[in-house]
Amino acid sequence: MAVRNIGIIMNGVTGRMGTNQHLVRSILAIRKQGGVALPDGDVIMPDPILVGRQESKLQALAAAHGVERWSTDLEACLADPYYEIYFDSQTTVRRAESVKQAIAAGKHIYCEKPTAVDLEGALELARFAAEAGVRNGVVQDKLFLPGLLKLKRLNDSGFFGRILSVRMEFGYWVFEGDWQQGQRPSWNYRKEDGGGIIVDMFAHWRYVLENLFGGVKAVSCLAATHIPKRLDEQGVPYECTADDAAYAIFELEGGIIVQANSSWAVRVDRDDLLTVTVDGTEGSAVAGLRGCKTQHRVNTPKPVWNPDIPNPFQFRDQWVEVPDNASYDNAFKVQWELFLKHVVIGTPFPWDLLEGAKGTQLADLSLQSWQERRWIDVPKLSL
């Protein structure tokens, strides 16, 4: 057995998502398990260097997790041939320029989404990477969540028959920062810093819908800034300039209609922070992040609208849980392992920068729909 060490520049991992999901639960977890096994018995061993702008944060993060190397000099890291992969989880407004530098340096690219602040910037990255011939990928973690994998299993088996509609409910109450500290960074609520729930979440909805149900053909979206003022991490009040809730309808190929509510100003009365309900001619399903329950047509109750009597049905008792039938690893880690194999042995990895640009496209068009208060067609993208 041979071990193939592969150097990874990890830029922006001092942030919440970068630290928890990409560093600790993905790269360090892969190292702890002994690397990524290849079909010939060899092993890929990721070897990270932490990169960022604040020396104190990098030093503390590296010390806390036993990472040997860190740097505030991105250019020097990009110039080092040992590092073959560049990963970016910075804020959106900083991402595109750093990714372009990494492509120019010949690095393979793996990055968070949105890949750029607008479609033009996202397509520029995809074209630049294609011209440079570097392998590239975008994080699309929700495809590897157990609940959505179960939905895909149901769909692939034909359980739904003809899918009629999908309803997505996402969100939770993010505290304003006065009597309880907010659970999300303050930049999320400033448009000028790349914030907004449409920019943040619609990239996810694009790849979820297209991988599970079909291409997005058109969108109608209304958004709002429900909470106009918040307190930042230092307790200083600021004006919220970005949307904190969005209410969208998507038309998919095949006539499927999707309703998607996304909000950081909603209190949760559902099984999970994200629920996806699918209704089809043969059956229905409701999936959360991990669980999924179904109701087939033969088990569907027959309610009759009558507000004059108590409801005789216990509707939630009439659904059946989909069994795991598999062990599920962390979604981010699963995709990291796939990307590492893609770089080293060329196995397929369809979630590239062009796919990432599709998410930015949907966000841009949804913002346009909100501004113009009308339906917007979603054209197909190509390089």
Side-chain angles (χ1 to χ4, degrees), residues 186-217:
S186 58
W187 69 263
N188 285 165
Y189 303 95
R190 293 189 292 264
K191 183 179 180 180
E192 59 272 22
D193 292 334
I197 202 164
I198 291 177
V199 170
D200 190 44
M201 296 309 304
F202 279 37
H204 290 287
W205 304 159
R206 180 73 183 265
Y207 71 73
V208 166
L209 294 174
E210 297 216 342
N211 280 271
L212 291 180
F213 308 116
V216 180
K217 293 176 57 179

PDB file of all heavy atoms in Angstrom, residues 186-217:
ATOM      1  N   SER A 186     -22.917  38.650  11.246  1.00  0.00           N
ATOM      2  CA  SER A 186     -23.664  39.860  10.886  1.00  0.00           C
ATOM      3  C   SER A 186     -23.582  40.179   9.404  1.00  0.00           C
ATOM      4  O   SER A 186     -24.508  40.788   8.843  1.00  0.00           O
ATOM      5  CB  SER A 186     -23.151  41.039  11.715  1.00  0.00           C
ATOM      6  OG  SER A 186     -21.764  41.248  11.508  1.00  0.00           O
ATOM      7  N   TRP A 187     -22.506  39.762   8.714  1.00  0.00           N
ATOM      8  CA  TRP A 187     -22.400  40.092   7.290  1.00  0.00           C
ATOM      9  C   TRP A 187     -23.532  39.447   6.487  1.00  0.00           C
ATOM     10  O   TRP A 187     -23.865  39.916   5.391  1.00  0.00           O
ATOM     11  CB  TRP A 187     -21.028  39.697   6.731  1.00  0.00           C
ATOM     12  CG  TRP A 187     -20.756  38.221   6.627  1.00  0.00           C
ATOM     13  CD1 TRP A 187     -20.076  37.454   7.512  1.00  0.00           C
ATOM     14  CD2 TRP A 187     -21.136  37.350   5.552  1.00  0.00           C
ATOM     15  NE1 TRP A 187     -20.027  36.139   7.082  1.00  0.00           N
ATOM     16  CE2 TRP A 187     -20.661  36.063   5.879  1.00  0.00           C
ATOM     17  CE3 TRP A 187     -21.833  37.523   4.364  1.00  0.00           C
ATOM     18  CZ2 TRP A 187     -20.864  34.952   5.051  1.00  0.00           C
ATOM     19  CZ3 TRP A 187     -22.039  36.424   3.531  1.00  0.00           C
ATOM     20  CH2 TRP A 187     -21.549  35.150   3.881  1.00  0.00           C
ATOM     21  N   ASN A 188     -24.122  38.378   7.016  1.00  0.00           N
ATOM     22  CA  ASN A 188     -25.241  37.730   6.318  1.00  0.00           C
ATOM     23  C   ASN A 188     -26.409  38.683   6.063  1.00  0.00           C
ATOM     24  O   ASN A 188     -27.242  38.435   5.189  1.00  0.00           O
ATOM     25  CB  ASN A 188     -25.764  36.550   7.126  1.00  0.00           C
ATOM     26  CG  ASN A 188     -24.873  35.330   7.073  1.00  0.00           C
ATOM     27  OD1 ASN A 188     -25.010  34.420   7.873  1.00  0.00           O
ATOM     28  ND2 ASN A 188     -23.949  35.275   6.127  1.00  0.00           N
ATOM     29  N   TYR A 189     -26.473  39.761   6.833  1.00  0.00           N
ATOM     30  CA  TYR A 189     -27.615  40.670   6.751  1.00  0.00           C
ATOM     31  C   TYR A 189     -27.255  42.008   6.109  1.00  0.00           C
ATOM     32  O   TYR A 189     -28.040  42.942   6.154  1.00  0.00           O
ATOM     33  CB  TYR A 189     -28.204  40.869   8.156  1.00  0.00           C
ATOM     34  CG  TYR A 189     -28.588  39.539   8.749  1.00  0.00           C
ATOM     35  CD1 TYR A 189     -27.709  38.856   9.587  1.00  0.00           C
ATOM     36  CD2 TYR A 189     -29.786  38.930   8.403  1.00  0.00           C
ATOM     37  CE1 TYR A 189     -28.034  37.599  10.081  1.00  0.00           C
ATOM     38  CE2 TYR A 189     -30.116  37.688   8.896  1.00  0.00           C
ATOM     39  CZ  TYR A 189     -29.235  37.022   9.727  1.00  0.00           C
ATOM     40  OH  TYR A 189     -29.556  35.778  10.196  1.00  0.00           O
ATOM     41  N   ARG A 190     -26.067  42.067   5.496  1.00  0.00           N
ATOM     42  CA  ARG A 190     -25.645  43.269   4.787  1.00  0.00           C
ATOM     43  C   ARG A 190     -25.416  42.933   3.315  1.00  0.00           C
ATOM     44  O   ARG A 190     -24.516  42.157   2.981  1.00  0.00           O
ATOM     45  CB  ARG A 190     -24.374  43.856   5.414  1.00  0.00           C
ATOM     46  CG  ARG A 190     -24.582  44.412   6.817  1.00  0.00           C
ATOM     47  CD  ARG A 190     -23.349  45.172   7.297  1.00  0.00           C
ATOM     48  NE  ARG A 190     -22.222  44.275   7.504  1.00  0.00           N
ATOM     49  CZ  ARG A 190     -21.894  43.754   8.684  1.00  0.00           C
ATOM     50  NH1 ARG A 190     -22.618  44.026   9.768  1.00  0.00           N
ATOM     51  NH2 ARG A 190     -20.849  42.954   8.806  1.00  0.00           N
ATOM     52  N   LYS A 191     -26.222  43.521   2.458  1.00  0.00           N
ATOM     53  CA  LYS A 191     -26.114  43.269   1.020  1.00  0.00           C
ATOM     54  C   LYS A 191     -24.734  43.620   0.503  1.00  0.00           C
ATOM     55  O   LYS A 191     -24.166  42.910  -0.346  1.00  0.00           O
ATOM     56  CB  LYS A 191     -27.187  44.074   0.290  1.00  0.00           C
ATOM     57  CG  LYS A 191     -27.221  43.852  -1.212  1.00  0.00           C
ATOM     58  CD  LYS A 191     -28.334  44.659  -1.856  1.00  0.00           C
ATOM     59  CE  LYS A 191     -28.378  44.443  -3.362  1.00  0.00           C
ATOM     60  NZ  LYS A 191     -29.480  45.232  -3.996  1.00  0.00           N
ATOM     61  N   GLU A 192     -24.163  44.712   0.987  1.00  0.00           N
ATOM     62  CA  GLU A 192     -22.859  45.174   0.507  1.00  0.00           C
ATOM     63  C   GLU A 192     -21.733  44.201   0.861  1.00  0.00           C
ATOM     64  O   GLU A 192     -20.651  44.249   0.257  1.00  0.00           O
ATOM     65  CB  GLU A 192     -22.545  46.565   1.069  1.00  0.00           C
ATOM     66  CG  GLU A 192     -22.502  46.661   2.590  1.00  0.00           C
ATOM     67  CD  GLU A 192     -23.863  46.943   3.218  1.00  0.00           C
ATOM     68  OE1 GLU A 192     -24.911  46.664   2.588  1.00  0.00           O
ATOM     69  OE2 GLU A 192     -23.883  47.453   4.370  1.00  0.00           O
ATOM     70  N   ASP A 193     -21.957  43.309   1.805  1.00  0.00           N
ATOM     71  CA  ASP A 193     -20.958  42.305   2.177  1.00  0.00           C
ATOM     72  C   ASP A 193     -21.268  40.927   1.599  1.00  0.00           C
ATOM     73  O   ASP A 193     -20.666  39.924   1.997  1.00  0.00           O
ATOM     74  CB  ASP A 193     -20.861  42.207   3.705  1.00  0.00           C
ATOM     75  CG  ASP A 193     -20.268  43.455   4.334  1.00  0.00           C
ATOM     76  OD1 ASP A 193     -19.505  44.158   3.635  1.00  0.00           O
ATOM     77  OD2 ASP A 193     -20.568  43.743   5.505  1.00  0.00           O
ATOM     78  N   GLY A 194     -22.218  40.877   0.670  1.00  0.00           N
ATOM     79  CA  GLY A 194     -22.572  39.602   0.045  1.00  0.00           C
ATOM     80  C   GLY A 194     -23.628  38.824   0.799  1.00  0.00           C
ATOM     81  O   GLY A 194     -23.804  37.626   0.569  1.00  0.00           O
ATOM     82  N   GLY A 195     -24.354  39.490   1.716  1.00  0.00           N
ATOM     83  CA  GLY A 195     -25.361  38.801   2.501  1.00  0.00           C
ATOM     84  C   GLY A 195     -26.701  38.690   1.796  1.00  0.00           C
ATOM     85  O   GLY A 195     -26.900  39.178   0.687  1.00  0.00           O
ATOM     86  N   GLY A 196     -27.638  38.055   2.475  1.00  0.00           N
ATOM     87  CA  GLY A 196     -28.986  37.856   1.949  1.00  0.00           C
ATOM     88  C   GLY A 196     -29.324  36.387   1.824  1.00  0.00           C
ATOM     89  O   GLY A 196     -28.485  35.575   1.422  1.00  0.00           O
ATOM     90  N   ILE A 197     -30.544  36.031   2.174  1.00  0.00           N
ATOM     91  CA  ILE A 197     -30.916  34.616   2.163  1.00  0.00           C
ATOM     92  C   ILE A 197     -31.058  34.079   0.747  1.00  0.00           C
ATOM     93  O   ILE A 197     -30.820  32.893   0.498  1.00  0.00           O
ATOM     94  CB  ILE A 197     -32.202  34.380   2.993  1.00  0.00           C
ATOM     95  CG1 ILE A 197     -32.284  32.909   3.427  1.00  0.00           C
ATOM     96  CG2 ILE A 197     -33.454  34.841   2.233  1.00  0.00           C
ATOM     97  CD1 ILE A 197     -33.281  32.651   4.539  1.00  0.00           C
ATOM     98  N   ILE A 198     -31.407  34.926  -0.217  1.00  0.00           N
ATOM     99  CA  ILE A 198     -31.483  34.459  -1.607  1.00  0.00           C
ATOM    100  C   ILE A 198     -30.094  34.073  -2.099  1.00  0.00           C
ATOM    101  O   ILE A 198     -29.892  32.977  -2.645  1.00  0.00           O
ATOM    102  CB  ILE A 198     -32.112  35.533  -2.516  1.00  0.00           C
ATOM    103  CG1 ILE A 198     -33.599  35.703  -2.190  1.00  0.00           C
ATOM    104  CG2 ILE A 198     -31.950  35.158  -3.987  1.00  0.00           C
ATOM    105  CD1 ILE A 198     -34.287  36.795  -2.982  1.00  0.00           C
ATOM    106  N   VAL A 199     -29.126  34.954  -1.911  1.00  0.00           N
ATOM    107  CA  VAL A 199     -27.758  34.658  -2.341  1.00  0.00           C
ATOM    108  C   VAL A 199     -27.214  33.441  -1.611  1.00  0.00           C
ATOM    109  O   VAL A 199     -26.528  32.595  -2.193  1.00  0.00           O
ATOM    110  CB  VAL A 199     -26.855  35.892  -2.105  1.00  0.00           C
ATOM    111  CG1 VAL A 199     -25.385  35.542  -2.314  1.00  0.00           C
ATOM    112  CG2 VAL A 199     -27.255  37.029  -3.029  1.00  0.00           C
ATOM    113  N   ASP A 200     -27.525  33.317  -0.338  1.00  0.00           N
ATOM    114  CA  ASP A 200     -26.976  32.237   0.478  1.00  0.00           C
ATOM    115  C   ASP A 200     -27.622  30.886   0.192  1.00  0.00           C
ATOM    116  O   ASP A 200     -26.935  29.871   0.049  1.00  0.00           O
ATOM    117  CB  ASP A 200     -27.154  32.581   1.961  1.00  0.00           C
ATOM    118  CG  ASP A 200     -26.403  31.619   2.864  1.00  0.00           C
ATOM    119  OD1 ASP A 200     -25.245  31.294   2.561  1.00  0.00           O
ATOM    120  OD2 ASP A 200     -26.971  31.192   3.878  1.00  0.00           O
ATOM    121  N   MET A 201     -28.946  30.851   0.084  1.00  0.00           N
ATOM    122  CA  MET A 201     -29.647  29.563   0.061  1.00  0.00           C
ATOM    123  C   MET A 201     -30.108  29.099  -1.312  1.00  0.00           C
ATOM    124  O   MET A 201     -30.266  27.909  -1.541  1.00  0.00           O
ATOM    125  CB  MET A 201     -30.859  29.619   0.994  1.00  0.00           C
ATOM    126  CG  MET A 201     -30.499  29.806   2.458  1.00  0.00           C
ATOM    127  SD  MET A 201     -29.257  28.636   3.101  1.00  0.00           S
ATOM    128  CE  MET A 201     -30.022  27.064   2.737  1.00  0.00           C
ATOM    129  N   PHE A 202     -30.342  30.023  -2.258  1.00  0.00           N
ATOM    130  CA  PHE A 202     -30.898  29.586  -3.535  1.00  0.00           C
ATOM    131  C   PHE A 202     -29.896  28.788  -4.359  1.00  0.00           C
ATOM    132  O   PHE A 202     -30.280  28.009  -5.228  1.00  0.00           O
ATOM    133  CB  PHE A 202     -31.454  30.775  -4.319  1.00  0.00           C
ATOM    134  CG  PHE A 202     -32.829  31.186  -3.870  1.00  0.00           C
ATOM    135  CD1 PHE A 202     -33.189  31.142  -2.524  1.00  0.00           C
ATOM    136  CD2 PHE A 202     -33.777  31.614  -4.779  1.00  0.00           C
ATOM    137  CE1 PHE A 202     -34.456  31.523  -2.094  1.00  0.00           C
ATOM    138  CE2 PHE A 202     -35.050  31.993  -4.369  1.00  0.00           C
ATOM    139  CZ  PHE A 202     -35.388  31.949  -3.021  1.00  0.00           C
ATOM    140  N   ALA A 203     -28.599  28.968  -4.099  1.00  0.00           N
ATOM    141  CA  ALA A 203     -27.605  28.095  -4.723  1.00  0.00           C
ATOM    142  C   ALA A 203     -27.826  26.649  -4.296  1.00  0.00           C
ATOM    143  O   ALA A 203     -27.670  25.713  -5.101  1.00  0.00           O
ATOM    144  CB  ALA A 203     -26.198  28.559  -4.360  1.00  0.00           C
ATOM    145  N   HIS A 204     -28.203  26.445  -3.031  1.00  0.00           N
ATOM    146  CA  HIS A 204     -28.529  25.097  -2.556  1.00  0.00           C
ATOM    147  C   HIS A 204     -29.785  24.573  -3.241  1.00  0.00           C
ATOM    148  O   HIS A 204     -29.839  23.424  -3.692  1.00  0.00           O
ATOM    149  CB  HIS A 204     -28.762  25.102  -1.048  1.00  0.00           C
ATOM    150  CG  HIS A 204     -27.547  25.321  -0.227  1.00  0.00           C
ATOM    151  ND1 HIS A 204     -26.566  24.370  -0.068  1.00  0.00           N
ATOM    152  CD2 HIS A 204     -27.144  26.393   0.504  1.00  0.00           C
ATOM    153  CE1 HIS A 204     -25.618  24.830   0.727  1.00  0.00           C
ATOM    154  NE2 HIS A 204     -25.948  26.069   1.094  1.00  0.00           N
ATOM    155  N   TRP A 205     -30.815  25.401  -3.292  1.00  0.00           N
ATOM    156  CA  TRP A 205     -32.080  24.921  -3.849  1.00  0.00           C
ATOM    157  C   TRP A 205     -31.917  24.529  -5.315  1.00  0.00           C
ATOM    158  O   TRP A 205     -32.545  23.579  -5.771  1.00  0.00           O
ATOM    159  CB  TRP A 205     -33.165  25.978  -3.699  1.00  0.00           C
ATOM    160  CG  TRP A 205     -33.428  26.464  -2.299  1.00  0.00           C
ATOM    161  CD1 TRP A 205     -34.027  27.640  -1.952  1.00  0.00           C
ATOM    162  CD2 TRP A 205     -33.147  25.805  -1.046  1.00  0.00           C
ATOM    163  NE1 TRP A 205     -34.118  27.773  -0.598  1.00  0.00           N
ATOM    164  CE2 TRP A 205     -33.582  26.651  -0.003  1.00  0.00           C
ATOM    165  CE3 TRP A 205     -32.551  24.593  -0.706  1.00  0.00           C
ATOM    166  CZ2 TRP A 205     -33.450  26.323   1.335  1.00  0.00           C
ATOM    167  CZ3 TRP A 205     -32.405  24.268   0.639  1.00  0.00           C
ATOM    168  CH2 TRP A 205     -32.854  25.119   1.634  1.00  0.00           C
ATOM    169  N   ARG A 206     -31.046  25.233  -6.051  1.00  0.00           N
ATOM    170  CA  ARG A 206     -30.848  24.900  -7.468  1.00  0.00           C
ATOM    171  C   ARG A 206     -30.324  23.476  -7.627  1.00  0.00           C
ATOM    172  O   ARG A 206     -30.872  22.676  -8.389  1.00  0.00           O
ATOM    173  CB  ARG A 206     -29.882  25.900  -8.114  1.00  0.00           C
ATOM    174  CG  ARG A 206     -29.602  25.642  -9.622  1.00  0.00           C
ATOM    175  CD  ARG A 206     -30.792  26.009 -10.460  1.00  0.00           C
ATOM    176  NE  ARG A 206     -30.632  25.730 -11.876  1.00  0.00           N
ATOM    177  CZ  ARG A 206     -30.228  26.607 -12.792  1.00  0.00           C
ATOM    178  NH1 ARG A 206     -29.897  27.840 -12.426  1.00  0.00           N
ATOM    179  NH2 ARG A 206     -30.163  26.266 -14.056  1.00  0.00           N
ATOM    180  N   TYR A 207     -29.249  23.129  -6.914  1.00  0.00           N
ATOM    181  CA  TYR A 207     -28.684  21.799  -7.125  1.00  0.00           C
ATOM    182  C   TYR A 207     -29.547  20.707  -6.506  1.00  0.00           C
ATOM    183  O   TYR A 207     -29.618  19.587  -7.033  1.00  0.00           O
ATOM    184  CB  TYR A 207     -27.227  21.722  -6.672  1.00  0.00           C
ATOM    185  CG  TYR A 207     -26.940  21.771  -5.191  1.00  0.00           C
ATOM    186  CD1 TYR A 207     -27.215  20.699  -4.351  1.00  0.00           C
ATOM    187  CD2 TYR A 207     -26.319  22.881  -4.624  1.00  0.00           C
ATOM    188  CE1 TYR A 207     -26.914  20.733  -3.000  1.00  0.00           C
ATOM    189  CE2 TYR A 207     -26.013  22.933  -3.278  1.00  0.00           C
ATOM    190  CZ  TYR A 207     -26.313  21.861  -2.473  1.00  0.00           C
ATOM    191  OH  TYR A 207     -26.016  21.892  -1.121  1.00  0.00           O
ATOM    192  N   VAL A 208     -30.237  21.007  -5.409  1.00  0.00           N
ATOM    193  CA  VAL A 208     -31.138  20.012  -4.826  1.00  0.00           C
ATOM    194  C   VAL A 208     -32.260  19.677  -5.814  1.00  0.00           C
ATOM    195  O   VAL A 208     -32.543  18.502  -6.098  1.00  0.00           O
ATOM    196  CB  VAL A 208     -31.722  20.506  -3.491  1.00  0.00           C
ATOM    197  CG1 VAL A 208     -32.909  19.644  -3.060  1.00  0.00           C
ATOM    198  CG2 VAL A 208     -30.648  20.484  -2.411  1.00  0.00           C
ATOM    199  N   LEU A 209     -32.905  20.686  -6.345  1.00  0.00           N
ATOM    200  CA  LEU A 209     -34.022  20.469  -7.267  1.00  0.00           C
ATOM    201  C   LEU A 209     -33.563  19.766  -8.535  1.00  0.00           C
ATOM    202  O   LEU A 209     -34.211  18.817  -9.011  1.00  0.00           O
ATOM    203  CB  LEU A 209     -34.679  21.803  -7.609  1.00  0.00           C
ATOM    204  CG  LEU A 209     -35.387  22.509  -6.448  1.00  0.00           C
ATOM    205  CD1 LEU A 209     -35.862  23.890  -6.865  1.00  0.00           C
ATOM    206  CD2 LEU A 209     -36.552  21.676  -5.925  1.00  0.00           C
ATOM    207  N   GLU A 210     -32.450  20.205  -9.108  1.00  0.00           N
ATOM    208  CA  GLU A 210     -32.027  19.638 -10.380  1.00  0.00           C
ATOM    209  C   GLU A 210     -31.512  18.216 -10.234  1.00  0.00           C
ATOM    210  O   GLU A 210     -31.689  17.395 -11.143  1.00  0.00           O
ATOM    211  CB  GLU A 210     -30.975  20.544 -11.026  1.00  0.00           C
ATOM    212  CG  GLU A 210     -31.527  21.927 -11.350  1.00  0.00           C
ATOM    213  CD  GLU A 210     -30.981  22.517 -12.632  1.00  0.00           C
ATOM    214  OE1 GLU A 210     -29.935  22.040 -13.116  1.00  0.00           O
ATOM    215  OE2 GLU A 210     -31.613  23.463 -13.155  1.00  0.00           O
ATOM    216  N   ASN A 211     -30.881  17.897  -9.112  1.00  0.00           N
ATOM    217  CA  ASN A 211     -30.382  16.532  -8.931  1.00  0.00           C
ATOM    218  C   ASN A 211     -31.477  15.556  -8.530  1.00  0.00           C
ATOM    219  O   ASN A 211     -31.373  14.365  -8.805  1.00  0.00           O
ATOM    220  CB  ASN A 211     -29.263  16.519  -7.889  1.00  0.00           C
ATOM    221  CG  ASN A 211     -27.922  16.952  -8.450  1.00  0.00           C
ATOM    222  OD1 ASN A 211     -27.157  16.138  -8.949  1.00  0.00           O
ATOM    223  ND2 ASN A 211     -27.642  18.242  -8.389  1.00  0.00           N
ATOM    224  N   LEU A 212     -32.538  16.055  -7.896  1.00  0.00           N
ATOM    225  CA  LEU A 212     -33.602  15.167  -7.433  1.00  0.00           C
ATOM    226  C   LEU A 212     -34.799  15.118  -8.378  1.00  0.00           C
ATOM    227  O   LEU A 212     -35.390  14.049  -8.570  1.00  0.00           O
ATOM    228  CB  LEU A 212     -34.082  15.588  -6.041  1.00  0.00           C
ATOM    229  CG  LEU A 212     -33.121  15.377  -4.884  1.00  0.00           C
ATOM    230  CD1 LEU A 212     -33.740  15.846  -3.577  1.00  0.00           C
ATOM    231  CD2 LEU A 212     -32.712  13.908  -4.761  1.00  0.00           C
ATOM    232  N   PHE A 213     -35.161  16.267  -8.967  1.00  0.00           N
ATOM    233  CA  PHE A 213     -36.456  16.333  -9.637  1.00  0.00           C
ATOM    234  C   PHE A 213     -36.419  16.818 -11.076  1.00  0.00           C
ATOM    235  O   PHE A 213     -37.233  16.396 -11.885  1.00  0.00           O
ATOM    236  CB  PHE A 213     -37.402  17.246  -8.838  1.00  0.00           C
ATOM    237  CG  PHE A 213     -37.497  16.889  -7.390  1.00  0.00           C
ATOM    238  CD1 PHE A 213     -37.063  17.772  -6.416  1.00  0.00           C
ATOM    239  CD2 PHE A 213     -37.999  15.656  -6.992  1.00  0.00           C
ATOM    240  CE1 PHE A 213     -37.140  17.444  -5.078  1.00  0.00           C
ATOM    241  CE2 PHE A 213     -38.064  15.312  -5.651  1.00  0.00           C
ATOM    242  CZ  PHE A 213     -37.640  16.203  -4.686  1.00  0.00           C
ATOM    243  N   GLY A 214     -35.523  17.715 -11.433  1.00  0.00           N
ATOM    244  CA  GLY A 214     -35.481  18.216 -12.800  1.00  0.00           C
ATOM    245  C   GLY A 214     -35.019  19.651 -12.863  1.00  0.00           C
ATOM    246  O   GLY A 214     -34.960  20.364 -11.858  1.00  0.00           O
ATOM    247  N   GLY A 215     -34.674  20.084 -14.080  1.00  0.00           N
ATOM    248  CA  GLY A 215     -34.150  21.413 -14.287  1.00  0.00           C
ATOM    249  C   GLY A 215     -35.151  22.510 -13.961  1.00  0.00           C
ATOM    250  O   GLY A 215     -36.355  22.355 -14.163  1.00  0.00           O
ATOM    251  N   VAL A 216     -34.642  23.645 -13.459  1.00  0.00           N
ATOM    252  CA  VAL A 216     -35.485  24.789 -13.144  1.00  0.00           C
ATOM    253  C   VAL A 216     -35.705  25.602 -14.415  1.00  0.00           C
ATOM    254  O   VAL A 216     -34.754  26.061 -15.049  1.00  0.00           O
ATOM    255  CB  VAL A 216     -34.845  25.673 -12.049  1.00  0.00           C
ATOM    256  CG1 VAL A 216     -35.748  26.858 -11.735  1.00  0.00           C
ATOM    257  CG2 VAL A 216     -34.569  24.859 -10.793  1.00  0.00           C
ATOM    258  N   LYS A 217     -36.983  25.816 -14.781  1.00  0.00           N
ATOM    259  CA  LYS A 217     -37.319  26.544 -16.002  1.00  0.00           C
ATOM    260  C   LYS A 217     -37.659  28.008 -15.753  1.00  0.00           C
ATOM    261  O   LYS A 217     -37.407  28.872 -16.594  1.00  0.00           O
ATOM    262  CB  LYS A 217     -38.510  25.872 -16.699  1.00  0.00           C
ATOM    263  CG  LYS A 217     -38.234  24.486 -17.249  1.00  0.00           C
ATOM    264  CD  LYS A 217     -39.501  23.875 -17.830  1.00  0.00           C
ATOM    265  CE  LYS A 217     -40.115  24.742 -18.913  1.00  0.00           C
ATOM    266  NZ  LYS A 217     -41.338  24.131 -19.497  1.00  0.00           N
TER     267      LYS A 217
END
